[in-house]
Amino acid sequence: MNRLFQFLETKLMPPLNKVANLRLIRAIMQAGIITVPFTIVGSIFLIINNLPQIIPPLAPFFEQTLLKFSPLYSVITTMSIGSLAIFYALATAYYLTESYRQEDKELSSFVAAILGLFAFLLTIIQVDITNEGAQLIQQTNDTSIIYNGVTMGAWVTRFGGIGIFIGILTAILATQIYRFCLRKKLTIRMPEGVPDGVSKAFASLIPAIFIAFTMLLINGVLATFHTDLHGLLSKPFEFVKELTGSWLGIVVIMLLIHLLWAVGVHGTAIIKNSFINPILLVSLTENINGGTNIFAGDFTNMYIFLGGAGSTLGLVLLMMFVAKSDQLKILGRAAILPGLFNINEPVIFGAPIVYNPYLIIPFIVTPIVNVSIAYFATAFGFVNKIISGIPWISPIGIGAFLGTGGDYRAVLIALINLAISIIIYYPFFKIYDGKLYAEQQKN
């Protein structure tokens, strides 16, 4: 273990330190941290809404009491976790501008945040351009509707995790346009004595015009190809439908999901929920009728997403019981309850893992190791095939036991994967925690 720490500290961490200290990366990491309260509050009410699945014997009781008020309290989850991209757009522009303010005091972080949100909002509505001109897209399917160009689920779909990456990009673009306008004196300057709010409003007018025309150009070009920034993001991943039949294919799927998460894109929503889940349901149906599919039902949440994408339950346990830094220690205590039910937005955006060079490596490697163990254990007959659908929020071991028709060996595989996730995360966590603790002591 000492040799591993020595290797990490001398060979791997120096270049990662340089990446972590980049202005842009720091801004994105700070943006992730600021979303923690919203993800934790949203997770609490998400768990309440799933109590009948978590404790099936008490389902009638919950349905007659708490769930009667679900439309009321579910608003909290919808507007917190379902609006993460909005928070990211605001916070990324704000913190990026804060770093630039060290060199240029004329910049306003508040103005930049509003401009960043404005740029992001200009990507939400879907427009198609044909020979007949431009038109707002209208569409209805089983899971969502597109009304006047806006994709609606329980809430505006693109405001959630699936829109985070675009929110980051547009916030960066808006910030750079704002800086450019200030450097070139392309702003309206009010005389002294004018209230600060009025002065900031007029200072943002010309940058807002530049941003509007820039986004109009981008949207217009993409609309002629019948897509937009959000649609463009998902196009390269449609081939994953062909990868579910082999170990190598499943490894590639896990790699893609977690690479997307690492840069702030909701990899689970884009790849698993969009392309993989329908295939898993078909495979589960075949297994119920005697099939032998390994990757079926909720295989990922049973064996791989222990605590959520990246198998982060092991990381949360390390935060709770090993961390020295207050940041990770407190986050671990706050994230353990959601983590037990496979909800890990507080960790992904609070540690953060997104754009964090210290934790990205174990976040990507751990699921690949876990899926390999579960795949070959099933392939060699050590555990039963999956023959039952389970709620994705099933705690570790319980979902594996129920999904395999009561095979206790599946519980053992899940616990082995948890132990392995702790081992993989530990050296990277130790170095990151040490860095935070040193900063804490210094301040």
Side-chain angles (χ1 to χ4, degrees):
M1 184 63 75
N2 288 334
R3 288 184 178 180
L4 176 60
F5 276 114
Q6 186 177 5
F7 169 78
L8 292 175
E9 290 176 347
T10 58
K11 303 295 183 182
L12 188 60
M13 288 306 163
L16 293 184
N17 264 324
K18 292 181 180 178
V19 173
N21 287 320
L22 292 175
R23 189 195 308 266
L24 179 59
I25 300 301
R26 290 203 313 270
I28 296 171
M29 290 174 66
Q30 288 173 310
I33 293 172
I34 208 67
T35 66
V36 172
F38 307 108
T39 56
I40 291 176
V41 171
S43 299
I44 291 170
F45 288 92
L46 182 60
I47 292 171
I48 291 174
N49 222 27
N50 284 282
L51 283 174
Q53 295 173 299
I54 297 170
I55 314 175
L58 295 180
F61 169 75
F62 292 128
E63 288 168 1
Q64 294 300 316
T65 53
L66 282 175
L67 293 188
K68 284 188 175 181
F69 299 95
S70 176
L72 175 63
Y73 63 73
S74 292
V75 171
I76 297 172
T77 300
T78 301
M79 293 299 156
S80 55
I81 294 178
S83 300
L84 283 178
I86 294 177
F87 304 143
Y88 253 87
L90 282 165
T92 300
Y94 179 89
Y95 284 114
L96 184 57
T97 306
E98 276 290 289
S99 68
Y100 284 126
R101 274 177 50 79
Q102 298 174 10
E103 304 148 14
D104 187 355
K105 296 296 183 182
E106 285 191 29
L107 291 168
S108 167
S109 301
F110 175 78
V111 170
I114 298 300
L115 292 173
L117 177 60
F118 176 55
F120 173 63
L121 293 177
L122 291 175
T123 71
I124 299 302
I125 297 178
Q126 301 172 66
V127 180
D128 191 27
I129 295 179
T130 63
N131 294 332
E132 299 176 359
Q135 57 187 358
L136 298 177
I137 295 177
Q138 312 283 346
Q139 184 178 310
T140 302
N141 57 42
D142 294 336
T143 57
S144 66
I145 64 170
I146 303 177
Y147 176 72
N148 285 344
V150 180
T151 304
M152 304 292 297
W155 173 228
V156 179
T157 303
R158 292 179 169 183
F159 283 171
I162 200 169
I164 288 175
F165 185 63
I166 302 301
I168 291 172
L169 287 182
T170 50
I172 295 168
L173 176 62
T175 301
Q176 299 306 330
I177 291 175
Y178 175 46
R179 290 182 62 228
F180 172 81
C181 289
L182 253 66
R183 286 202 309 269
K184 300 300 181 180
K185 309 299 181 184
L186 299 174
T187 58
I188 299 175
R189 296 177 181 273
M190 303 299 289
E192 292 185 11
V194 174
D196 187 56
V198 176
S199 180
K200 286 181 178 178
F202 278 93
S204 64
L205 176 58
I206 293 178
I209 293 173
F210 272 85
I211 290 168
F213 276 99
T214 301
M215 297 309 300
L216 178 63
L217 177 63
I218 294 172
N219 291 341
V221 170
L222 293 176
T224 60
F225 293 97
H226 314 296
T227 186
D228 58 15
L229 283 172
H230 295 265
L232 198 63
L233 182 65
S234 63
K235 289 293 182 184
F237 304 106
E238 293 183 355
F239 74 96
V240 298
K241 294 179 182 178
E242 309 298 327
L243 298 177
T244 58
S246 67
W247 166 77
L248 182 59
I250 300 171
V251 167
V252 171
I253 289 170
M254 290 300 115
L255 182 61
L256 290 173
I257 288 174
H258 292 87
L259 284 173
L260 288 175
W261 267 118
V263 294
V265 181
H266 201 306
T268 306
I270 287 180
I271 293 181
K272 181 178 179 292
N273 296 353
S274 301
F275 301 114
I276 303 303
N277 278 356
I279 300 172
L280 294 177
L281 289 174
V282 172
S283 299
L284 175 62
T285 303
E286 292 175 355
N287 283 7
I288 292 172
N289 296 316
T292 58
N293 298 295
I294 295 175
F295 202 45
D298 221 347
F299 184 91
T300 50
N301 286 318
M302 287 167 50
Y303 297 124
I304 309 165
F305 288 5
L306 306 176
S311 303
T312 53
L313 182 58
L315 177 60
V316 172
L317 293 174
L318 287 171
M319 290 179 180
M320 283 187 67
F321 299 111
V322 181
K324 292 183 178 180
S325 65
D326 289 343
Q327 176 180 325
L328 295 186
K329 193 179 300 182
I330 294 171
L331 178 62
R333 293 169 185 167
I336 186 62
L337 181 59
L340 290 173
F341 299 103
N342 301 327
I343 301 167
N344 68 343
E345 279 84 356
V347 180
I348 288 179
F349 302 118
I353 292 173
V354 172
Y355 285 97
N356 186 340
Y358 296 95
L359 297 179
I360 282 175
I361 293 174
F363 181 78
I364 294 172
V365 170
T366 302
I368 293 175
V369 175
N370 285 355
V371 77
S372 300
I373 292 171
Y375 181 91
F376 289 113
T378 309
F380 293 136
F382 184 78
V383 292
N384 294 340
K385 303 290 192 300
I386 297 172
I387 57 172
S388 176
I390 62 165
W392 65 271
I393 39 77
S394 299
I396 180 173
I398 296 176
F401 182 77
L402 297 175
T404 54
D407 189 346
Y408 69 90
R409 296 171 299 179
V411 179
L412 179 60
I413 294 298
L415 293 176
I416 289 173
N417 277 351
L418 175 62
I420 288 174
S421 72
I422 294 173
I423 293 171
I424 295 174
Y425 271 108
Y426 179 75
F428 299 91
F429 157 81
K430 195 69 176 173
I431 292 173
Y432 182 53
D433 180 54
K435 173 180 177 290
L436 295 179
Y437 184 68
E439 293 174 354
Q440 176 184 316
Q441 295 294 99
K442 182 180 177 181
N443 293 329

